[in-house]
Every structure is written in C-alpha cells, then in structure tokens.
Amino acid sequence: MAEIMTLARHILQRKRKYDAATGDFTLLLNHLALATKVVSRQVARAGLLDVLGKTGTENVQGEEVKKLDLIANELLIELLNDLPMVCAIASEEDEHIRHTEAGRLTGRYLVCFDPLDGSSNIDVNITIGTIFSIRRRADTGCEAVAEDFLKPGTEQVAAGYCIYGSSSLFVYSTGDGVDGFTLDPSVGEFVLSHPGIRIPDEVACFSVNAANRRNWYPETVAYVDHLGLGSDVRYKKTSLRYVGTLVADVHRNLLVGGVFLYPGDRKAPHGKLRLLYEAHPLAYLVEQAGGAATDGVGRILDIVPTGLHMRVPLVIGNRREVDLYAEFTHRYAAIPPDATT
Ligand code: P6P
C-alpha cells in the first residue's frame, strides 16, 4: 500500500534542532493541527449549526465579530492552554496577550494567530482560514509580556495556515520548505498532498481590491496598470482574482503564481492587514516557497512590530513582482530610495 504521510508523521520526522530531546515543538504543531480539524468541522456545518451571523460585538480591530470567529478563537486558546511548552498567546480577536495555564512560567513558545481570517465571507460560503505563527522566547521562569512578541518576523520558528475551502488544507513550514496536507474526513487525518510547494514564476493572478483605486498612491496605480494594461508579454494571461480572504488569495497565488496587494493608501496609509498574525506568518511561508513580501519599502520579515495589532501594507507573491512593486514605490513615492521601514 502506498505510504500515507500524515501531518503528524511529517512533523515527527521534521525534528528541529531544539526538539530532539523533548518533542515539545512536535506536540505544539500537532495540537494546532487538531484545532484546525475541529474548526474545519464547525465551518463545514456552519449553515446547520447556530454559528453563522454576527455576535453583535466588535473586536479590538473595530470589526464585527462573527459567531464562528469566537468559536475558533476560544477553541484554539482552549487547546493551547493545556500545553506546558506554550507560555502565551496573541490573537487577532483579543486586545492583550493571554498567558496559558500550563506553561505560563516555563513555556518556551509564543503563539500568534488569526483564528478565522476572512470571516466576512463565512455567511456566503466562501473560503476562510486560520493563520498561525510560532516564536520561541529567550528566557523562561517568568510570565511573558507583550514585548516578547514584538520581534521581527525572522525570529519565527514556524508558521502555517489552514484554509477551509473545497477541502481543508493545512500548509506549514518549520524553516526547511513548505508542505501542504489535505484533510481526509474518512480517517480524520491531514494527509500529504502538496509536498515541497514552490511559487511558480508565472503571474497567473494578481489580487487587489480594485474598489480602493480612488485612494491608491501613484505607485499602486502605476503598478496595477502595468499588470493590467501594460504590453509586457509576462502578463498576457494574467487574471484578477480577489476573494476577500487574505489566506485564500495568498494560497492560490502560491500554487499558480501571482501577487497579492493590500497596499497603504490615502485612506489607510498603514494598510489593513495585521503584521503579527497575518503578514509575518504568510511572508515566512511565501519566502520559504521562493517568493517575497514587502510593505513597499522593505522586507516584511524585517519589520519589528510596535504593538500587537500593528497594521502594515502588504505586497506578497513571486519575488519578481514584489521587487517590481518596491521599485515602483521608490520611483513614484516621495520615499527616498535609501529609506528604511
Ligand atoms: P477588503 C478579511 O476581513 C481581511 O482581513 C483579509 O482576509 C482580506 O484580505 C481583507 O480583509 C479584505 O479587505 O477591504 O478588501 O474587504
């Protein structure tokens, strides 16, 4: 029988240098995978359970909180709360970090997540997803503080997402490539289906909310027109694809080749997307797959968060396009070429 490479086996085989002795990292990743399986089940039955619709509350982002946002958030926190190796959690849904019960003093890992990215799409049955990022803290023996999370994205030791679409697909990296696993509901396991993901050079798609054009800075107008109206043969078969779920748009572009833009503009100079649990983890994954991610000036992974919910402009996808956008920024914006982030 063909070897079935489950996510659990794959993680076990990818023992990291600091996991050889304890297995902590392996257990943490497997717990995150378990959480996404349960979220997947809730999402698949959302229309049948009382989980659609709004809660009538707003989160720290000022966004309407959907019932499934809360369910996913509480589920992830509950599962991570029991893990002695996790000391604290930063969630898009929570203003402050949460200390876990089991690892608050001795845990080495910090976990950030967006429990349900794209929640505005829940009620219309469009793909949504969970995004996570794992960091290690320097010292233990005391409670983590928010500042422990405010480190550059290069300090992540793992990142991943699970998208709940035509199937549930768990994609992750621990720094040596990107692999994807499709949930087989008949056995309840994520099974390796996308080994060694590499972003193609082609630009099959570009993704941007064109309704924001009226607010775009000149470099964004020029770049998008270069893609859509230019004579470059590279874009002859390029389509605009934008579903309004970051992780779904980035995942599609990762597989077929392309670029996603949520730039800063006159209405929101810092953009909309959050650095700690959206841009950093997705930039880590896309770079591991041979792509790139910028805020228009510098590398996303080099940006140090000034706060848990810091927003950044995000242009992410194949390296040539990301570098070209940064070139347009330098050419069109008033940012001197040697500016740092
Ligand atoms: P807009 C979903 O709410 C989200 O945070 C991302 O998943 C998505 O890429 C973006 O917002 C869509 O924003 O302004 O285009 O609706």
Side-chain angles (χ1 to χ4, degrees), residues 63 92 114 116-121 131 208-210 212 242-249 260-262 272-274 278 311:
E63 296 165 340
E92 181 197 61
D114 179 352
L116 217 50
D117 172 52
S119 49
S120 56
N121 282 325
I131 310 170
V208 68
N209 183 339
N212 294 336
Y242 189 79
V243 295
T245 297
L246 168 66
V247 65
D249 280 317
F260 170 96
L261 303 92
Y262 207 107
K272 172 180 183 180
L273 302 173
R274 276 64 50 149
E278 290 175 322
R311 297 172 190 263

Side-chain angles (χ1 to χ4, degrees), residues 80-91:
L80 293 174
N81 202 33
D82 299 340
L83 291 180
M85 75 293 289
V86 178
C87 56
I89 295 162
S91 166

Side-chain angles (χ1 to χ4, degrees), residues 263-284:
D265 62 21
R266 292 186 182 85
K267 192 176 160 194
H270 299 291
K272 172 180 183 180
L273 302 173
R274 276 64 50 149
L275 178 60
L276 209 53
Y277 29 74
E278 290 175 322
H280 267 171
L282 292 177
Y284 178 91

Side-chain angles (χ1 to χ4, degrees), residues 248-267:
D249 280 317
V250 170
H251 176 74
R252 179 201 51 247
N253 296 351
L254 188 62
L255 294 192
V256 302
V259 60
F260 170 96
L261 303 92
Y262 207 107
D265 62 21
R266 292 186 182 85
K267 192 176 160 194

